[in-house]
Amino acid sequence: MPRVLPGLALAAAILAAGLASPLPARSDAPEWRSIPDAELLVIDTSRGRMTVRLRPDFAPLAVERILRLAREGVYDGLQFHRVIPGFVAQTGNPNNRDGGVSAHPDLPPEFIFRTPGQGFAAARRSAEGSEGFLGVNPVVLDGHGRGWGAYCTGTAGMGRQEGVRTANSEIFFMLAPARRLDHDYTVWGQVVEGLDVLAAIAPGEPPAAPDRMIRVRPAVDLPAAERPRLEVLDVEGPAFSRRLAEARRARGADLGLCDLSVPVRTRAGS
């Protein structure tokens, strides 16, 4: 993917922001929604486990490709070959450097998706439309049934070369917000577990001692006892509405979409 300078100051501001109110107590369990196993990708790395919520409603071809490569074992053992602090961690290239591709054909862009707007919680208005959340993913809706993923911390995207039809196997994860990537790179998911693991991946272009994806598997392919048991706060419920209201009071006009996040937790009894 093209070189983009890291937003170090912005990353520090996001990490330091204390906008999130305490998580609701277990007594309000109906406001929490289980994440289906079919929507989770488990990435065991040399730093620990990351779990990504897949968004086939945003990018069906990209999600299909990622699941296929995971099941073929293509991703197992690949390096995080380009890791820029305050910006991005890239991996998924079979040759462990930019430009490597799988045996499958390149994919068309899936920058924009169609949406009825249901299940959406608006956080703020921008020049492009309403910014908010569809489930755990930060998104922008343009008011005409179209939307795109916003590149905030933990957002998962498809890497590509200069041409927009060159996405193949490379994937990347945001270490900090970079909204300049919006509607220019396909969003296929969001890290919902293991952001600390992502933050710990060795930096470099390439790193002196690269970390690796040891094994990548769809959660549905794991034995039932080994699958992540995660649930997400309902963005249309009152608890999340309170979080938004508190953030608006705290930041006012300075509130940015990437200053917010949707809580995810392990299900009770798991």
Side-chain angles (χ1 to χ4, degrees), residues 66-147:
I66 288 163
L67 291 174
R68 181 174 185 175
L69 294 176
R71 288 179 167 130
E72 291 175 350
V74 171
Y75 285 142
D76 295 350
L78 295 188
Q79 298 174 4
F80 287 90
H81 67 276
R82 178 176 178 242
V83 182
I84 302 176
F87 181 39
V88 70
Q90 286 179 234
T91 183
N93 291 42
N95 63 356
N96 287 318
R97 60 180 183 271
D98 282 355
V101 297
S102 72
H104 305 294
D106 289 346
L107 297 172
E110 296 177 284
F111 305 155
I112 307 294
F113 56 85
R114 302 296 301 183
T115 174
Q118 297 173 347
F120 175 70
R124 66 187 295 270
R125 292 286 302 175
S126 73
E128 294 186 300
S130 295
E131 298 189 348
F133 295 88
L134 279 174
V136 75
N137 276 85
V139 301
V140 182
L141 304 187
D142 70 357
H144 301 287
R146 304 190 315 160

Side-chain angles (χ1 to χ4, degrees), residues 190-221:
Q190 187 78 18
V191 177
V192 291
E193 184 181 48
L195 280 174
D196 56 334
V197 173
L198 177 62
I201 292 172
E205 301 183 68
D211 284 306
R212 295 176 178 268
M213 296 191 293
I214 303 301
R215 193 171 183 189
V216 181
R217 294 164 290 176
V220 290
D221 292 357

Side-chain angles (χ1 to χ4, degrees), residues 5-71:
L5 293 177
L8 295 177
L10 181 57
I14 298 305
L15 293 174
L19 297 178
S21 59
L23 296 186
R26 291 282 175 179
S27 60
D28 68 349
E31 287 204 54
W32 293 83
R33 303 286 180 260
S34 294
I35 303 178
D37 293 342
E39 296 179 7
L40 294 173
L41 183 73
V42 176
I43 304 175
D44 288 312
T45 79
S46 48
R47 293 284 180 173
R49 173 170 287 188
M50 300 191 325
T51 305
V52 182
R53 185 172 192 175
L54 302 167
R55 296 307 304 240
D57 51 335
F58 292 6
L61 298 178
V63 169
E64 180 184 34
R65 171 63 53 83
I66 288 163
L67 291 174
R68 181 174 185 175
L69 294 176
R71 288 179 167 130

